[in-house]
Amino acid sequence: MYKLLLCWRYLRTRWIALASIVSVTLGVATMIVVNAVMAGFSYEMQTRIHGILSDLVFESHSLSGFQDPQWHMDEIKRAAGDDIVGMTPTVAVPAMLNFQVRGQWITRQIMLIGIDETTHAKVSDFGRYLQHPGNRGQLSFALRDGGYDTIDSQSDTKAVTRPALEGAGWPHRRMRVERERVWREKLEADRRAGGAADPAATDPAASGPSRSVDQQVDAVLAATTTDASPVAAEAAADPAAPPATADPFRQARPEEGTKMDPAREQFTGIVPGLGLASFRDNAGTDRFLVLPGDDVKITFPTSGTPPKAVSDTFTVVDFYESKMSEYDSNFVFVPIAALQRMRGMIDPQSGLASVNSIQIKLREGADLDRVRDTLRKVFPADLYAVSTWRDKQGPLLAAVDMEMSVLNILLFLIIAVAGFGILAIFFMIVVEKTRDIGILKSLGASAGGIGGIFLGYGLFLGIVGAGAGLALGLSIAWNINTIRAGVEWCTGERVFDPSIYYFYRIPSIVHPFTVLWIIVGAVGIAVGSSVLPALRAARLHPVEALRHD
Amino acid sequence: MTETSPAILRVRDLRKNYRSGETTLEVLRGVDFDLAAGEFVSIVGQSGSGKSTLLHLMGLLDAADAGSIELDGTRIDGLSSARRDRLRNTCVGMVFQSYHLLPELDALENVLAPLMVRYGVLEWLRVRHQARDTARALLDRFGLGSRLRHKPRQLSGGEMQRVAIARALVTRPRVLLADEPTGNLDEATGAGILETLCELNHADGLSIVLVTHDAAVARRADRIVRLAAGRVDDAPQALDQSAHAGQAARRKAG
Ligand SMILES: Nc1ncnc2c1ncn2[C@@H]1O[C@H](COP(=O)(O)OP(=O)(O)OP(=O)(O)O)[C@@H](O)[C@H]1O
Ligand SMILES: [Mg+2]
């Protein structure tokens, strides 16, 4: 009984001990918040990755891929049975994207992915990430007549962050073509007026800002653009290609030599990642370098050995934004049939096309690893690789996990520091209270009882500290976006910049199990660090303790 | 001298050494000592003669190197620490020169402390009213009825010592061991404390061992035991004291 009374009395008079409560509280609160936010990020990232990749990816090791995807899909269906709800073939090759911004050519390294637009959205969240509502329903590689979202469909704010998409599509394309035509005519007129003389020398006004180098280059390049062979959108998306000829590139450009009207026709449609074509300014508005309706050039390897680099012109028809910057600044989607043709992936004899991979979607709740292993047994491992989306992003997910554990260790050190505080304070109390301990022993208190006072005291500090930390941590974790808004309002600085993270709010998920661990750990540390002082108190010799002053 | 009344404490050939490095300090070199039931004995001796050491051994606060101590005819040396804790709590009351009260507790709680040590929380809830009454009665008896809620630092030396005596008695011990209880007090207050002890001895028949420097204090006891050179000294001047003690014993017996 005396233990409770004394614990209570000591607590009331030793406010210094409360200092260690505060550090336990802060440690626990920080750990809860950091874990919640990290778990939120991790979850957000995983759903994104999972949404971008399908459940299972079945692919060949070689860039040329394997022939006859339909046969493979049938085999996969036979092997995995009911677990499969959707499959779609894809062709992915590294490529280079070139586009012109104010006369300058910008080149980006990309992953060019040929997809079957009718089935691709069924195996992943692909469709959700497009910017035209019509394309989100069913992607069409034909340029839309405007109607692109100026409000980010994935954010919960209703602010217009993409005003530039207002006129995108055919209107934008027509305007651009018109501008180029006017400019070309002006250039022509200048040349005729100046004759052989330098136009800059004869016409000083023309050498001014209106005839910058930019515009000259622009004009010349615009002129070459119209020389490129047009491919009507319908022809490009049409899987029923004309009969194979010896040269696959002739097949890819069936109408070579014919002039096309860029104001009414488009090249093969592509959907580049949003990050490739835009950047976000400080105000949170997206600025576009390229808009739907613009033409870009893509250089990619053919499927022969050794691969040769070939280029073709494409028309941007939409943007893809998964909010995973790694993908958004890397992926460019094209119709699979067009890509197969351009790369020469269609066997001239059999007419069978090759693909790199087959994306597989499994039914809800299916065991990914089990299906993967089944498929690995059926298909020889030296020809095919079967991996789950987790396998694909293993290093990234592992890095996040590791980041989380390192952070946890570091944060636990805060609590450990609190533990050492408790240790030091308790040793002080034991020294200070040596005589009282002697008195209690002379009254018949056992060594265990005396030690128990200090353990109980440590337990109390741990529970109170962790309890307060739990309350603080949970209230921060649950209201983190309100707090962020408050801090931003107070300081006028952006605390959380969505242009970096591509999230509009800080994600936060509280896992009860993690919280439990943190609490147990904190209380454990508090009790653990009171063990030594408790032992010392228990072992005090009563006579010596009584003599102590 | 204690044939008629049974001995509460019987100490035989008790030895206690303190070792510090090479040197060994023999503090007690074979002490024989008896305390009869209801007897009031004072132990005197030079400073450093081992009076406190003897008292601590009898109060089970320390372990002897050799010899035996019997309480009510049973050996109490060499017991397990749990049994010693229990005996200390139930059979022995100790009073010290510097009071040794717990500063965080008030007078009443200090008196109750031994009982709180004895009982667990649930038992305590059961016995606490009775215990409070006992403690309050004791403090009343010592004239502290109005100071129950005062902390030790709010009490004078004499009052603190009376609280300490009440604490020693609340467990109804077989024997009260007092180590210079008047040492820190002025003469009048010390005399008051001594009066209290004498009264307890006479009225309640409490067996008391009182260690003191003060010859005047020592003379109030039934018998004086002198410690010298680690033994009980039977020097002549003790004889007239023992005559006095014998007289007291006769007076009690009669
Ligand atoms: N823990 C110890 N280690 C070494 N020597 C000790 C220890 N405790 C006591 N002593 C020695 O034992 C001797 C007896 O001490 P004790 O306290 O019993 O004397 P005392 O008779 O009570 O003296 P006083 O009248 O001053 O209180 C002293 O010389 C003391 O120095
Ligand atoms: Mg002494």
Side-chain angles (χ1 to χ4, degrees):
Chain A
M1 171 60 209
Y2 65 100
K3 294 169 211 157
L4 286 182
L5 183 69
L6 287 177
C7 278
W8 175 238
R9 285 297 154 83
Y10 283 180
L11 203 69
R12 281 207 330 207
T13 52
R14 297 293 178 286
W15 290 108
I16 180 84
L18 294 182
S20 38
I21 291 191
V22 173
S23 42
V24 173
T25 302
L26 290 181
V28 168
T30 324
M31 280 192 77
I32 289 176
V33 172
V34 166
N35 272 292
V37 172
M38 291 282 285
F41 268 98
S42 176
Y43 172 80
E44 199 82 9
M45 212 171 75
Q46 292 201 15
T47 44
R48 294 277 162 191
I49 294 174
H50 193 178
I52 296 158
L53 304 170
S54 57
D55 293 333
L56 280 181
V57 181
F58 176 92
E59 59 196 330
S60 70
H61 295 300
S62 82
L63 210 55
S64 311
F66 48 86
Q67 276 199 347
D68 201 354
Q70 195 52 50
W71 177 82
H72 283 88
M73 289 200 270
D74 291 344
E75 283 300 305
I76 290 169
K77 187 96 195 163
R78 188 150 53 231
D82 296 342
D83 280 340
I84 291 178
V85 294
M87 279 186 278
T88 184
T90 63
V91 174
V93 284
M96 294 214 292
L97 174 74
N98 310 285
F99 55 90
Q100 211 180 12
V101 179
R102 295 175 67 61
Q104 286 190 319
W105 279 98
I106 294 176
T107 301
R108 298 262 163 96
Q109 189 185 326
I110 56 161
M111 181 58 78
L112 188 61
I113 302 175
I115 56 166
D116 175 7
E117 68 265 33
T118 51
T119 54
H120 196 77
K122 296 199 175 71
V123 301
S124 65
D125 289 344
F126 174 77
R128 268 182 41 208
Y129 300 147
L130 300 174
Q131 306 307 312
H132 194 285
N135 284 343
R136 281 204 290 280
Q138 171 59 55
L139 173 63
S140 141
F141 278 107
L143 186 59
R144 299 269 178 180
D145 213 6
Y148 293 91
D149 284 336
T150 51
I151 298 166
D152 183 356
S153 61
Q154 293 174 63
S155 98
D156 48 9
T157 57
K158 289 283 158 275
V160 173
T161 53
R162 289 159 187 176
L165 287 181
E166 176 79 60
W170 280 113
H172 171 73
R173 188 174 178 83
R174 278 193 290 271
M175 209 165 77
R176 192 176 53 88
V177 168
E178 179 62 17
R179 255 207 326 266
E180 281 166 8
R181 192 185 57 76
V182 168
W183 173 245
R184 222 173 19 255
E185 278 167 6
K186 187 169 184 297
L187 209 65
E188 201 71 10
D190 282 353
R191 198 160 48 230
R192 266 198 299 275
D198 181 5
T202 52
D203 185 6
S207 68
S210 67
R211 277 209 77 182
S212 66
V213 178
D214 266 16
Q215 285 166 322
Q216 291 185 43
V217 176
D218 211 5
V220 172
L221 289 167
T224 52
T225 306
T226 46
D227 292 342
S229 317
V231 177
E234 293 75 28
D238 185 10
T245 55
D247 179 4
F249 299 104
R250 186 159 307 152
Q251 180 196 334
R253 297 159 174 246
E255 294 152 85
E256 190 150 16
T258 53
K259 274 274 177 193
M260 105 178 215
D261 177 7
R264 284 187 296 106
E265 287 173 279
Q266 66 167 98
F267 296 93
T268 308
I270 58 162
V271 177
L274 192 78
L276 283 167
S278 76
F279 59 93
R280 189 162 290 169
D281 65 12
N282 288 339
T285 306
D286 287 317
R287 308 253 166 208
F288 287 85
L289 303 172
V290 169
L291 283 172
D294 282 330
D295 290 337
V296 299
K297 287 178 186 299
I298 295 178
T299 311
F300 50 90
T302 61
S303 76
T305 314
K308 284 194 281 289
V310 294
S311 298
D312 209 339
T313 307
F314 297 84
T315 300
V316 175
V317 298
D318 203 344
F319 290 121
Y320 167 82
E321 190 194 20
S322 64
K323 306 227 183 245
M324 285 285 295
S325 62
E326 190 196 333
Y327 297 109
D328 291 346
S329 58
N330 202 24
F331 284 177
V332 175
F333 298 93
V334 297
I336 188 167
L339 187 61
Q340 280 168 330
R341 218 165 36 229
M342 293 171 188
R343 289 193 67 219
M345 293 177 93
I346 299 172
D347 188 332
Q349 264 87 52
S350 61
L352 288 173
S354 298
V355 299
N356 282 151
S357 67
I358 295 172
Q359 313 281 325
I360 304 167
K361 183 178 175 64
L362 301 185
R363 74 177 157 77
E364 200 76 23
D367 184 351
L368 295 184
D369 290 348
R370 197 182 50 74
V371 177
R372 176 196 60 191
D373 294 341
T374 318
L375 292 180
R376 278 184 181 170
K377 272 197 217 91
V378 175
F379 293 93
D382 46 353
L383 288 180
Y384 305 101
V386 187
S387 32
T388 65
W389 66 277
R390 265 175 205 287
D391 299 338
K392 283 257 151 198
Q393 283 302 326
L396 182 59
L397 297 179
V400 171
D401 277 354
M402 167 136 126
E403 222 170 279
M404 220 154 145
S405 10
V406 169
L407 213 58
N408 270 326
I409 291 170
L410 290 181
L411 290 174
F412 224 80
L413 287 182
I414 297 182
I415 302 182
V417 168
F420 278 105
I422 292 177
L423 188 85
I425 290 168
F426 277 22
F427 261 118
M428 256 170 51
I429 294 180
V430 170
V431 171
E432 189 193 353
K433 290 278 150 201
T434 298
R435 219 170 60 134
D436 294 14
I437 292 167
I439 295 168
L440 285 169
K441 288 195 164 177
S442 80
L443 298 179
S446 64
I450 299 285
I453 293 181
F454 287 90
L455 284 185
Y457 196 13
L459 183 71
F460 179 84
L461 292 190
I463 289 177
V464 171
L470 177 73
L472 185 65
L474 287 184
S475 51
I476 292 179
W478 282 330
N479 300 307
I480 188 141
N481 284 294
T482 324
I483 293 170
R484 172 187 60 115
V487 171
E488 281 176 0
W489 184 80
C490 282
T491 61
E493 295 272 328
R494 271 185 102 81
V495 175
F496 179 82
D497 187 354
S499 69
I500 299 170
Y501 297 104
Y502 280 100
F503 304 135
Y504 286 89
R505 44 193 13 272
I506 304 177
S508 134
I509 297 175
V510 177
H511 287 302
F513 192 69
T514 316
V515 171
L516 188 74
W517 260 114
I518 294 170
I519 299 290
V520 168
V523 173
I525 281 191
V527 173
S529 44
S530 52
V531 165
L532 274 181
L535 274 182
R536 183 176 158 148
R539 293 218 180 114
L540 277 178
H541 193 284
V543 174
E544 319 230 309
L546 281 175
R547 281 175 196 271
H548 184 94
D549 288 310
Chain B
M1 69 182 82
T2 54
E3 268 89 66
T4 47
S5 47
I8 280 194
L9 270 177
R10 184 191 297 268
V11 175
R12 285 292 172 270
D13 196 26
L14 199 65
R15 288 163 195 274
K16 178 73 185 174
N17 305 328
Y18 285 113
R19 272 167 225 95
S20 54
E22 297 292 288
T23 57
T24 303
L25 180 67
E26 293 184 52
V27 179
L28 301 181
R29 314 177 182 198
V31 173
D32 295 313
F33 171 76
D34 286 282
L35 178 72
E39 198 180 15
F40 183 1
V41 175
S42 41
I43 299 180
V44 296
Q46 277 187 327
S47 183
S49 56
K51 306 182 294 293
S52 297
T53 306
L54 176 61
L55 211 66
H56 292 151
L57 289 175
M58 293 193 293
L60 291 167
L61 286 176
D62 208 346
D65 293 312
S68 68
I69 306 174
E70 286 175 15
L71 180 74
D72 284 327
T74 42
R75 291 273 300 253
I76 58 169
D77 52 306
L79 294 178
S80 72
S81 63
R83 302 262 326 262
R84 279 166 27 149
D85 292 336
R86 182 110 202 109
L87 275 179
R88 215 186 294 141
N89 185 250
T90 51
C91 297
V92 185
M94 295 194 82
V95 178
F96 303 94
Q97 178 172 0
S98 43
Y99 327 122
H100 287 343
L101 298 178
L102 294 168
E104 269 83 17
L105 307 187
D106 62 32
L108 184 64
E109 288 164 337
N110 259 295
V111 174
L112 288 170
L115 295 175
M116 293 195 211
V117 166
R118 183 182 302 175
Y119 299 114
V121 176
L122 292 180
E123 277 176 290
W124 173 251
L125 290 179
R126 208 155 35 74
V127 300
R128 103 196 119 160
H129 289 295
Q130 198 191 339
R132 281 228 178 91
D133 291 344
T134 316
R136 220 177 264 131
L138 273 170
L139 283 168
D140 267 342
R141 178 171 170 188
F142 297 150
L144 291 167
S146 57
R147 315 295 301 271
L148 300 181
R149 288 293 162 206
H150 286 198
K151 293 279 165 66
R153 63 171 180 280
Q154 297 165 304
L155 299 174
S156 74
E159 287 160 347
M160 279 196 275
Q161 196 60 292
R162 282 204 289 272
V163 173
I165 293 171
R167 179 180 67 185
L169 295 179
V170 79
T171 59
R172 304 186 186 285
R174 301 283 292 135
V175 55
L176 181 73
L177 307 175
D179 192 351
E180 300 187 39
T182 59
N184 278 2
L185 302 174
D186 64 69
E187 213 168 305
T189 317
I193 294 292
L194 197 63
E195 208 52 58
T196 308
L197 291 181
C198 287
E199 209 253 346
L200 284 167
N201 178 245
H202 286 143
D204 304 11
L206 181 70
S207 315
I208 299 176
V209 178
L210 173 78
V211 166
T212 181
H213 274 130
D214 192 334
V217 171
R219 266 196 292 279
R220 298 293 303 271
D222 300 339
R223 179 161 66 94
I224 297 179
V225 170
R226 179 172 296 276
L227 272 189
R231 289 166 200 276
V232 174
D233 185 11
D234 300 317
Q237 98 256 38
L239 283 174
D240 86 278
Q241 300 295 340
S242 65
H244 170 77
Q247 188 189 343
R250 268 193 303 283
R251 187 190 66 214
K252 247 179 219 170

